[in-house]
Amino acid sequence: MNHSMIEVVFKVEAPIGCGEEIRVIGNVPALGCNDRSRSIPLVCSPATYPWWTTKEGIFLPGEAGAVQYRYCIYSGGKFKCYEGEGNIQRNLDEFKNDKLLVETEDKLHCLSNDSRLSDVSTSLNVKTSLNKVFASSEVRSFRARQFASWSHRVHMDHQLVSQDGVIIVSYFLPVILSKSKEGKWSAAWDGENLLSLQMDMRLIWIGSIRFANASIPVEEEEAVSAVLAELNCYPVFINQNTHFQFYDIFCKKNLWPIMHHIADVYGPLNQNDIGAKAQQNLWFVYSTVHKLFREKILEVYHEGYLIWIHGFHLMLLPNFLRRRLPVAKIGYFFHTPFPSSEIWRTMSRREDLLRGILGADQIGFHLFEYARHFLTNVRRLLGCSYEMNAAGMMTVTVDGREVVITCIHVGVDLPRVDDILKIDSTTAEMKLWKSKFPNKVIVAGIDRLERLKGIPLKLIAIDQFLEENSHWLGKLVFAIIGISAGERGQDYIQTQHDVKVTVNRLNDKYRSRCQGGDIIYFEERSDREIRLAQRLAFFGASDILFITAPRDGLNRYPMEFTLARNRAGHAAPEIFTSLPGACARSEGLVIVSEFISSARVMRGALTVNPWNTADVKEAIVAALDMSPAERAERNRRNLEYATRLTSTNWATHVLCDLKSVEKSTDPNANYAVGFGMQYKVMDLKSGFHALNVKEVCNSYRSARSRLIIMDWGGTLVTDVKVDKLQAYAIAKGHAHRDGPTSELKSVIEALCADPKNYVFVVSGREVPALSQFFGNFTDLGLGAEHGFYYRWPRDEFISDTGGVAISSHSGSPSNVGKWKTIMEVGDQSWKDSAKLLMDIYTQRTHGTYIEQKGNALIWQYRDADPEFGFLQSKELEEHLTEIMSPYAVQVIRGGGVSDGYIEIRPAGVSKGLFLEHIVNHLKSLKNDCDFILAIGDDATDEPMFEAVARIQEKEKATSRESRSPTQRGGPSPELSAFSVTVGKKPTLAHGYLDDTNAVLELLTTLCKYTQRDKSKFYSTADLMAINSLSSESQHNPVFNSLSESPGNRSKKISSSDGNFQDIEPRPPSVSIMPPKSSSGDPSLEDDELFYLPPVGPAAIPRNASLINMTEYMNSIQESNQEDDGAIFF
């Protein structure tokens, strides 16, 4: 079956270099008739690389030999070369005409002199080869191996697809609202707005809307919403007064100058003198508008949608959204500079704004310079650290999660620019501009009339240039268009006046030497009068673009100028004449301030310091005297960027980064803490939850041997935040932290009094500090300096030898105990060398000091400048690591950015090692613990939590094998281990308690169970067990052997006749009800004794027949009994 046309999808394997692309051309109109300007681009993604395909099928003639085609390589949007040095020509003869759709599977023929292209026969999939290379022994970079692992994980899962939904949020919607004379509303996209993106995705726009510079009347809101809904736009209606306070006052007069590095203490821009009440009102309005935006987003949000927020106006919105949508991926992009910390710190709400921004999962900037300022502010004011992650991205660690920092500059909407330049009216306006200044070099500039745009500085430099280069008078003109900036208030009025006065003065000064013409042409227009079409016409007629703003963020004029000049040379070549200093047609030069973001990406521009008028003058001279070759090369560099990174490409890159953010989809993995602006939602590891106190108590009650180990500061007592002076006094021994309360002491005493319990308090503090507050607890074990020094709780259980006796500062004999070391103290000569080196860094780093804590040395830099202190600590850490290598010590970095330190202590010492030492020693005494409770609050307790997990895992593995009965009277029950952190935070612990009060409540509850063990009363469950076990005990030899075991302590109870009988405690794990088997069958197997948590802690008589429930009830005389801790039924 033959068809006249077939649909062809071109697919080629081309492992080309970065920044290059593949296009296909052919001899038929659908393939451009071999015209490279009409070539068909092929697309590729990280998941499909190196295979490139056309976006859709192309209908071509189906006759054999009718279609010849070849591939060409483009770089930066510009043709580079054909494949195979232009000698390759392909055809479609190989395809049979009985197919409606065919797909080529070509392999690109490489150039012999291009090392970036590999031969087809040896080309490999880039992901496979990258992984092989990164995994090889030749590549020693850990970062490279991390990146290989990350790229393999995300390439397939985080590419944008048409099903993806994105909510684009900005203060103003990117639409133009119109109203007819009949009162009918209509809306159209604002093509100049960066956010009027048209992408193959589910896009939703949210923002405020205004008409004729006023708010929408309430009665018209419904009609306007209906019109905007047709464009997938959802408005946030803000009344006129709120808009004025939010936008004109707070944003434009407070935030805008700060964002552009202006903090006028005495100038008219200063808003700090408006009074505390007025500032509070402005902040309330600012917060209220954010809440309106949040509610509108919640209305339209669907699960899985990306939320992309733009502009400095909405800095609190990420945090507000995260409170309600903790699993949503939130991006935030700045289109302004970000100030240095010296400027940002002048704001009263500086921390609140930073926390608001950090509610996002990704934060974008146009330049790394802006990102660097942001990171510095975050480090200095919030104490958050930042580093590179496995994907090679900068991340800020905050609230247990990573916030990705993206730096990518936006481009222009290239298709729209091309469309406008093809319009005849644009060409006509170009010619009009040229006719205004015949036979003159046009140096153009478009600037807003405000101080930040630097028109007065520009005019001063022009005056200096003309003074020293008078031969250019009459040969060029400086054409400046000023854009009205009424929102700037007095700043606009003053700048407008200064510019007009200076322009008139310079024209009067040089008019006589300019053959009667003006050397400076100035015209003021509104925003509506200088839209993209007008700008492109103006730029296309100009030779040089001249921008000297002292500080500006996103400015795309250099890109628009470059494209306009390039296209204008082809559209209207007749208007360009050869003049000295003028650029050739299709070329243009850019002089741009180094404080504008585009100066970093337009590599062919002449960058100047606008504050240095001599520098600006020399740049003008260089542009006019530049050789044609250099001018062409500079134009080529600018054109390469302007055509490569368009606004659509920019949005795609940023949204891909946002989608690739790894974030839990489990809402339970997020926990909220705090109030007001201190409210934050924290990411916690999967399975982390509040401690199940009931489960802990049940396990505690059934256990026969318990180990309880607790941190001191921040766990048993509140770690009160002290100021820097008090922290220094404590470090130097001139002051002490608070000790345990009397209530806590009584609870600890009660726990220690239970013979089943082994209770330890372990701390990073030295021996004297622990002895001072806990030395009198004879049954309490202590661990100082993270367990390096320790003291056992009961001497009768101590069998290990060695140790060192250390007396506390107290003179009380009871406060002196025998302390031991967990390992040999070893050579202490390292302290002299370490202290000498620390002294050197202390002298050169203000705000640092050395703290000697027992067997450790600590270099504290909490009082130093955060940036300098951290840099010095890194250098000190490297030096100490090298010098301390011969000794059995380790160099540890601890604390955060605001309270960091470098510590040297004996190698291997940690609270985790101390915990394992305790467990192993108890095992050596034939006393396996079946209950472990570890409580801590900070990073030094994490090794203890790790040790708990290791011990529990080891016990589980052992329990899978058959085990012989222990010396305690039966098979060892499964270990119940609990690791608990204080406060909701990312941790390795199993659960958390809210604060130290919750810890005290838990310990008090455990004490009640201990007191119930000692009670003379039985619960109903206990008495039922007595009756049920009375007969079993006579026939069950295992039970009898348990009751006779030496591990059970004898007790006496009162019988009905008032006499006392010896009894033994009930076996701790005997259950009167058999457990369910794994299959769900509760039947008891023959000759099998099950051990479950007991029904009660009361003692059971050895000969249960001597007492029954009735006799026991009759024996109770409540008036004569003590009910301490008794639990009645």
Side-chain angles (χ1 to χ4, degrees), residues 132-168:
K132 288 181 178 180
V133 172
F134 288 151
S136 67
S137 59
E138 297 178 1
V139 178
R140 301 183 181 274
S141 171
F142 175 71
R143 180 70 62 190
R145 294 194 298 274
Q146 278 188 314
F147 179 79
S149 173
W150 176 87
S151 61
H152 175 74
R153 217 169 44 244
V154 304
H155 273 325
M156 297 299 297
D157 300 332
H158 299 108
Q159 298 304 310
L160 296 177
V161 295
S162 59
Q163 291 79 20
D164 286 333
V166 181
I167 301 176
I168 302 175

Side-chain angles (χ1 to χ4, degrees), residues 16-21 23 36 72-83 111 113-117:
I16 57 178
C18 181
E20 297 178 335
E21 61 177 326
R23 299 187 184 184
R36 294 200 305 264
C72 44
I73 304 171
Y74 277 68
S75 178
K78 190 173 182 180
F79 174 77
K80 179 181 178 181
C81 62
Y82 290 108
E83 63 168 324
L111 296 175
N113 60 349
D114 194 342
S115 61
R116 287 176 296 179
L117 298 178

Side-chain angles (χ1 to χ4, degrees), residues 90-203:
R90 305 173 186 269
N91 58 70
L92 296 178
D93 286 346
E94 60 206 72
F95 295 104
K96 297 178 181 181
N97 290 338
D98 60 350
K99 294 183 178 181
L100 292 175
L101 176 66
V102 296
E103 183 180 81
T104 68
E105 290 190 359
D106 301 321
K107 295 184 178 181
L108 193 73
H109 289 268
C110 67
L111 296 175
S112 57
N113 60 349
D114 194 342
S115 61
R116 287 176 296 179
L117 298 178
S118 59
D119 191 81
V120 179
S121 60
T122 59
S123 65
L124 297 174
N125 184 286
V126 69
K127 291 184 289 186
T128 303
S129 50
L130 274 177
N131 288 333
K132 288 181 178 180
V133 172
F134 288 151
S136 67
S137 59
E138 297 178 1
V139 178
R140 301 183 181 274
S141 171
F142 175 71
R143 180 70 62 190
R145 294 194 298 274
Q146 278 188 314
F147 179 79
S149 173
W150 176 87
S151 61
H152 175 74
R153 217 169 44 244
V154 304
H155 273 325
M156 297 299 297
D157 300 332
H158 299 108
Q159 298 304 310
L160 296 177
V161 295
S162 59
Q163 291 79 20
D164 286 333
V166 181
I167 301 176
I168 302 175
V169 188
S170 60
Y171 183 67
F172 293 110
L173 283 172
V175 298
I176 299 175
L177 196 63
S178 305
K179 188 177 184 181
S180 66
K181 295 180 180 179
E182 294 77 17
K184 184 178 181 180
W185 293 96
S186 61
W189 291 111
D190 182 1
E192 290 196 37
N193 195 301
L194 176 63
L195 301 181
S196 59
L197 300 166
Q198 302 303 316
M199 303 172 66
D200 186 20
M201 299 172 65
R202 298 175 181 177
L203 301 182

Side-chain angles (χ1 to χ4, degrees), residues 341-373:
S341 61
E342 288 75 14
I343 302 298
W344 182 265
R345 285 186 293 172
T346 61
M347 290 195 299
S348 59
R349 296 284 184 170
R350 56 195 188 181
E351 291 91 353
D352 295 337
L353 291 172
L354 287 178
R355 292 190 188 97
I357 299 168
L358 288 172
D361 300 293
Q362 178 214 41
I363 303 172
F365 299 89
H366 288 299
L367 296 179
F368 177 71
E369 175 185 344
Y370 306 155
R372 177 170 53 84
H373 288 161

Side-chain angles (χ1 to χ4, degrees), residues 77 152 182 291 369 670 720 769 850 951 953 1056:
H152 175 74
E182 294 77 17
K291 294 176 182 177
E369 175 185 344
N670 301 275
V720 180
I850 301 173
I951 294 170
E953 186 63 29
S1056 58

